[in-house]
Amino acid sequence: MKKLIYILCMLPIFAACEDVIEVEVPTDKARLTVDALMRIDTTQPSTNYYAEVKVSVSSNFFETIEPAILEQISITNLASQENIPLFETFLGSGVYQSETTVDFMTSGELILFIQHEGSRYAARTTYVPAVPIEKLDQGDATLFSGEETEIIVAFDDQPNRTDFYLFDFDFNEYLVTEDTFYPGRTFEFSYFYDDDVKEGMTIDVSILGVDRAFYNYMNQIIIQSGGDQGPFQTPSATVRGNILNVTNIEDLSDLDNLASSIDQENFALGYFAVCQTFSKSITIE
């Protein structure tokens, strides 16, 4: 899905003259990339939940991202001390799953633990609530080309707390917002798709509750990518998430106070977050 930023490139063609241009592309050591964004839909009747983590290994610019084969991956609830191991769906998929409960995911602090090629990684998070989408309508306004599609979204912010939200507009398009300017009030805004959105298409829009750290992380990703890149694809520059290298740490219950023991160079990319999610769909007319 293209974003609403257009660059006109004029490429002259010369019949008998070619110049070879060597471009240095950024290189980096291979890094683990972890997609551990877990969406909790509390409107569903089932109390079961399938925790899923996608893990890959990224290397140099333009090279293929390969699924990661892990030695171990698990999630621990520090409140209950319950630990659930995750298992690869099939060999070489890089997708690790386990069946658990909504209560496990939403009650208490959670630690994601990963072991890969002798290194140990961990991230800590807690469940963050959201609010339902109250309005999802198609508007008739446009921006630049006159061919854009306007979607009007509204939700009621909760009073007496500071909230951060992540909107997923489908097609790997994301937007973050905080309630600084609309605390406890209804907030309505327009989002515009480019002309790739056609009549008859169904678009799924979700609102996720996020904390300040994940809000800042996603804001950087969106700025770097122009908004058309998912949160766990390799960004054009390194954006640090909350996946820490804890190879030298034994007790993972207090990661915030163990900065001196964390390997700051051999970090992983990606993020571990558990977010209440509300979704609505709209069919373009």
Side-chain angles (χ1 to χ4, degrees):
M1 181 60 57
K2 302 173 186 174
K3 298 304 293 175
L4 299 175
I5 300 173
Y6 298 92
I7 301 174
L8 180 62
C9 298
M10 299 183 66
L11 301 177
I13 300 175
F14 297 95
C17 180
E18 293 184 1
D19 290 330
V20 177
I21 302 175
E22 295 184 2
V23 179
E24 276 192 38
V25 297
T27 59
D28 194 6
K29 64 178 68 177
R31 293 195 187 278
L32 211 61
T33 301
V34 181
D35 175 351
L37 173 58
M38 305 199 181
R39 307 181 186 214
I40 309 294
D41 184 352
T42 54
T43 65
Q44 298 299 314
S46 175
T47 59
N48 292 334
Y49 180 78
Y50 277 92
E52 180 178 285
V53 179
K54 299 175 184 177
V55 191
S56 57
V57 178
S58 63
S59 51
N60 292 337
F61 207 65
F62 295 137
E63 287 191 6
T64 304
I65 297 175
E66 299 290 342
I69 300 175
L70 304 180
E71 291 139 37
Q72 184 180 346
I73 179 170
S74 64
I75 300 174
T76 300
N77 185 307
L78 292 181
S80 65
Q81 289 300 305
E82 183 182 356
N83 177 277
I84 58 166
L86 278 66
F87 302 96
E88 197 170 18
T89 54
F90 60 88
L91 186 62
S93 69
V95 178
Y96 296 81
Q97 289 183 340
S98 184
E99 184 177 6
T100 181
T101 65
V102 170
D103 185 63
F104 174 90
M105 299 300 300
T106 60
S107 303
E109 204 165 44
L110 300 168
I111 288 184
L112 172 68
F113 175 80
I114 294 172
Q115 186 164 325
H116 176 251
E117 294 185 349
S119 294
R120 302 163 71 240
Y121 303 87
R124 188 181 70 178
T125 195
T126 54
Y127 170 75
V128 182
V131 295
I133 298 172
E134 299 296 339
K135 177 181 180 180
L136 182 63
D137 294 333
Q138 183 175 345
D140 54 12
T142 60
L143 286 177
F144 309 115
S145 70
E147 300 297 326
E148 299 89 3
T149 300
E150 179 191 26
I151 297 296
I152 302 170
V153 184
F155 61 95
D156 297 331
D157 183 63
Q158 287 291 309
N160 304 317
R161 73 184 192 198
T162 301
D163 287 302
F164 300 87
Y165 303 105
L166 169 65
F167 275 91
D168 181 348
F169 286 100
D170 220 341
F171 314 112
N172 276 334
E173 298 195 25
Y174 296 87
L175 177 73
V176 288
T177 180
E178 59 176 308
D179 66 358
T180 301
F181 301 107
Y182 53 86
R185 301 197 298 270
T186 298
F187 183 57
E188 181 175 306
F189 65 96
S190 291
Y191 187 84
F192 292 88
Y193 296 91
D194 66 17
D195 55 9
D196 283 349
V197 170
K198 305 297 185 183
E199 181 180 343
M201 292 179 65
T202 297
I203 296 174
D204 299 317
V205 177
S206 301
I207 182 174
L208 290 72
V210 299
D211 59 19
R212 183 186 297 274
F214 191 35
Y215 167 90
N216 290 334
Y217 171 85
M218 280 303 303
N219 193 42
Q220 292 182 65
I221 293 290
I222 292 167
I223 290 171
Q224 281 196 19
S225 65
D228 58 357
Q229 178 172 318
F232 303 105
Q233 299 179 47
T234 305
S236 55
T238 301
V239 179
R240 294 283 292 269
N242 65 347
I243 314 292
L244 305 175
N245 188 312
V246 295
T247 304
N248 301 321
I249 297 173
E250 293 300 326
D251 183 6
L252 302 180
S253 62
D254 191 15
L255 293 179
D256 283 348
N257 296 319
L258 296 171
S260 62
S261 302
I262 292 172
D263 188 336
Q264 300 293 346
E265 296 299 323
N266 299 313
F267 57 88
L269 299 173
Y271 216 96
F272 175 42
V274 180
C275 310
Q276 185 177 27
T277 304
F278 294 94
S279 301
K280 278 184 178 292
S281 297
I282 185 171
T283 300
I284 302 303
E285 299 177 351

